[in-house]
Amino acid sequence: MSVLVYTENWDGKFKKLSYELISFAYAIAKELNLPVTALSIGKVEDDELKSLAKYGASKILKLEDDRFESLDNKALSDAVAKAAQKEDAKVVIIASNNEGKAIAPRVSVELDAGMVTNVVGLPVSIDPFVVKKKVFTQKAFANIQINADVKVLTYAHNSFEVIESPVDITLESFDAEIPDSEFHTKVLDTHKVTGKILLTDADIVVSGGRGMKGPENWGILEELADLLGAGLACSRPVADEGWRPHEEHVGQTGKIIAPNVYMAFGISGAIQHLGGVSSSKYIVAINKDPEAPIFQAADYGIVGDNFKVIPQLIEAAKEMKASE
Amino acid sequence: MKILVLISNVPDTTTKVKFTGDNKSFDTTGVQWIINPWDELALTRALELKDAGAVEKITVANVGTKITEPTLRKALAVGADEAIRIDAEPSDAFYVATQLTQVAKDYDLIMAGIESSDYNGSGVGGMLAEMLGINSVSAVSGIEIENGNMTIHRDIDGGSQTLTVPTPLVVVVQKGIAIDPRIPSMRGIMMARKKPLNVVPAVDATPKTTFLNYELPPPKAACKMVDEDNAKELLRLLKEEAKVL
Ligand SMILES: Cc1cc2nc3c(=O)[nH]c(=O)nc-3n(C[C@H](O)[C@H](O)[C@H](O)COP(=O)(O)OP(=O)(O)OC[C@H]3O[C@@H](n4cnc5c(N)ncnc54)[C@H](O)[C@@H]3O)c2cc1C
Ligand SMILES: Nc1ncnc2c1ncn2[C@@H]1O[C@H](COP(=O)(O)O)[C@@H](O)[C@H]1O
């Protein structure tokens, strides 16, 4: 028996999310007295795979098969379910991201498991198995009991710390034996966002709203984001106006993010906007209107003009960098 | 091509989230029920494809009690051809997907939303596909049909893709699939009254999860204010007090 984690890789590399997943799995596995097995699909060097041992994975199933590059949902789910069966997994942990949300429901049906998505912490209890998840677009949580023997959880990014718990690791090749006829997805074109920090990965996010007045003023936000190593986001009207690309728009109809700190410049804090950012550990608001609703959600704030505040922050960030 | 659009009935997204009875249930007093925003966009795209001549028929389906009928009527009023309501309390994604298998078999394309805006389950679309033994594509932000050939756009972690997958297929849609939902016209509302809304009895199924209770996030401490002329202090606080820089 084991706890199985599905770890994606990005061009052969793991991310902080991968280590969060293993740390989270290890903490659950400890309570169940089980080992953690990680399933890795695609080409990842052995050294990179072994890095998972640092966080508690004692076995890696290595599935190197180019056919999975098309991210065919059916074939991928079959592979994950087969790995879970082989390892007799009691709990299967998958990230709550695009790929994870695509396969977890299918895997749960294949394993006759109970599934809870968007889980935000360790189980509230093990027997019965109860987990806490986000509901109402981050406005509340719900405690859900899973009644099936096998549990499939999708883990909400940034809700658990990366914790080092080194163990010995074994690598094992794994063949899911999925016939070609099970792969139906034909990818015609892939567009990868490169060269900048992905919004959904960023620990720090700098975001601008209509209070930035126009696209020509984004230079200072970009400079600040660069200095802080932050991702860039915006409110929906900013994307609707074409000031910024739609992939930067956060909120109910945009990306949902949960960075350590979200810095909102000239954003009023409409409920639909907050729906995408309220899981951030800290929210910082800069707004010239002291009545702006964003201050209700914020932990730190400045009532003031963006164009007076941002240059000071840039200067402070430069000083901070210089002193590091 | 025949399309089935799955419709989840949810509280209006501006509803103040309140709970009653020891946080065991959601307070529905004064709540306006709407078509789940993602499903509304899925339906919008289905209608656009029908207008373009690529789709013959659009059916909408919901698993729910009688209170969801106005939501289904609204889907008919904006242009769906028929509605199906499976008469059951939608207790969890597994239960809902199991119910839908009875009506989902004869469609080329089944459209589900990425999540219900209330429970944020992200479950029903994928589960239904697996139960039907057909493929699925998730995080779908665009669908085009030309000469009967369907092209799909989806988001992947760190980018986006254009792809094809043979039908029958479940697509789980998200932002981008359509821009502005349609608003029912007076004529649409009149016509909707005459369109079929078939009620189907539930099949036996046991949910795999039990909802226990809600929790509201702990109340936020008051926002700590920094003076506009001393903005540097903000970064110091983030670094030394919050320890996030
Ligand atoms: C169904 C639906 C879904 C939606 N989904 C989303 C979504 O996903 N994401 C989203 O963001 N919105 C969404 N919206 C829109 C949302 O309701 C708000 O209209 C939007 O978030 C407002 O954007 P904003 O804060 O940039 O602009 P505004 O509300 O116009 O606020 C601008 C703010 O800037 C401040 N300001 C002005 N000048 C300065 C200055 N010089 N210095 C400092 N501050 C200044 C003002 O005081 C004001 O508070 C949605 C709406 C609907 C109806
Ligand atoms: N009760 C229901 N009846 C019909 N479809 C549903 C129901 N609940 C959810 N769905 C569909 O499944 C999608 C995802 O919902 P969920 O898994 O609840 O987050 C929704 O956007 C709907 O398309």
Side-chain angles (χ1 to χ4, degrees), chain A residues 211-242:
Chain A
M212 286 301 294
K213 305 296 187 208
E216 66 281 5
N217 295 326
W218 245 262
I220 47 175
L221 279 189
E222 277 170 310
E223 187 178 356
L224 180 62
D226 257 3
L227 286 164
L228 297 174
L232 266 183
C234 68
S235 68
R236 173 161 137 176
V238 164
D240 285 346
E241 297 278 346

Side-chain angles (χ1 to χ4, degrees), chain B residues 38-237:
Chain B
W38 305 120
D39 305 342
E40 191 177 30
L41 292 180
L43 177 58
T44 305
R45 186 63 193 145
L47 292 166
E48 289 166 358
L49 292 168
K50 193 178 171 210
D51 290 349
V55 171
E56 295 142 50
K57 188 174 175 189
I58 301 169
T59 306
V60 293
N62 166 261
V63 178
T65 58
K66 209 166 167 37
I67 65 156
T68 69
E69 287 198 359
T71 300
L72 285 173
R73 286 277 173 220
K74 187 183 167 200
L76 293 172
V78 293
D81 299 297
E82 63 169 6
I84 302 170
R85 178 172 71 81
I86 302 174
D87 190 23
E89 194 66 57
S91 31
D92 78 348
F94 175 81
Y95 181 84
V96 169
T98 307
Q99 297 304 329
L100 289 167
T101 54
Q102 348 167 30
V103 301
K105 287 194 183 93
D106 299 321
Y107 296 89
D108 306 289
L109 184 66
I110 299 171
M111 299 177 87
I114 190 92
E115 63 174 26
S116 299
S117 62
D118 49 3
Y119 289 97
N120 305 149
S122 299
V124 172
M127 285 187 186
L128 177 62
E130 186 61 41
M131 289 173 185
L132 295 172
I134 63 177
N135 217 322
S136 54
V137 184
S138 195
V140 170
S141 59
I143 295 178
E144 274 118 48
I145 302 176
E146 247 173 66
N147 307 323
N149 298 318
M150 184 162 63
T151 323
I152 298 172
H153 304 276
R154 75 167 162 200
D155 276 10
I156 54 172
D157 300 296
S160 57
Q161 282 184 331
T162 308
L163 47 101
T164 61
V165 189
T167 56
L169 180 70
V170 174
V171 288
V172 178
V173 309
Q174 60 160 27
K175 75 167 186 297
I177 185 71
I179 305 301
D180 287 314
R182 296 198 178 177
I183 295 157
S185 64
M186 212 45 213
R187 186 164 165 269
I189 294 169
M190 299 299 286
M191 277 171 50
R193 293 196 191 140
K194 298 198 199 89
K195 289 182 180 170
L197 194 166
N198 303 316
V199 179
V200 176
V203 291
D204 259 352
T206 314
K208 300 219 179 269
T209 59
T210 315
F211 166 86
L212 300 181
N213 62 337
Y214 292 107
E215 277 177 33
L216 281 169
K220 274 230 150 163
C223 183
K224 198 165 193 170
M225 300 310 283
V226 172
D227 191 76
E228 180 184 14
D229 298 314
N230 189 21
K232 286 184 174 178
E233 172 68 3
L234 178 64
L235 287 203
R236 191 195 66 80
L237 287 168

Side-chain angles (χ1 to χ4, degrees), chain A residues 106 133 136 145 188 191 300, chain B residues 118-119 136 160 162 210 241:
Chain A
R106 303 192 67 120
K133 80 176 299 273
F136 288 102
Q145 178 176 323
L188 306 176
H191 164 78
Y300 294 99
Chain B
D118 49 3
Y119 289 97
S136 54
S160 57
T162 308
T210 315
E241 190 176 89

Side-chain angles (χ1 to χ4, degrees), chain A residues 39-81:
Chain A
L39 168 67
S40 164
I41 301 183
K43 287 218 168 33
V44 184
E45 299 286 333
D46 284 358
D47 277 350
E48 183 74 5
L49 288 174
K50 284 181 191 156
S51 71
L52 300 177
K54 200 162 148 195
Y55 309 97
S58 45
K59 181 173 177 183
I60 312 277
L61 295 180
K62 210 166 93 160
L63 174 51
E64 289 185 329
D65 181 340
D66 295 344
R67 295 177 305 168
F68 288 102
E69 277 170 22
S70 67
L71 299 177
D72 183 279
N73 279 347
K74 191 164 188 292
L76 259 178
S77 307
D78 285 352
V80 176

Side-chain angles (χ1 to χ4, degrees), chain A residues 209-211 213 234-238 249-254 266-270 272-273 286-289 292 304-307, chain B residues 13:
Chain A
R210 224 158 20 195
K213 305 296 187 208
C234 68
S235 68
R236 173 161 137 176
V238 164
H249 140 213
V250 293
Q252 185 192 306
T253 48
I267 293 177
S268 57
Q272 297 92 351
H273 184 82
I286 287 78
N287 197 304
K288 67 177 188 191
D289 173 9
D305 187 327
N306 282 329
F307 304 101
Chain B
T13 52

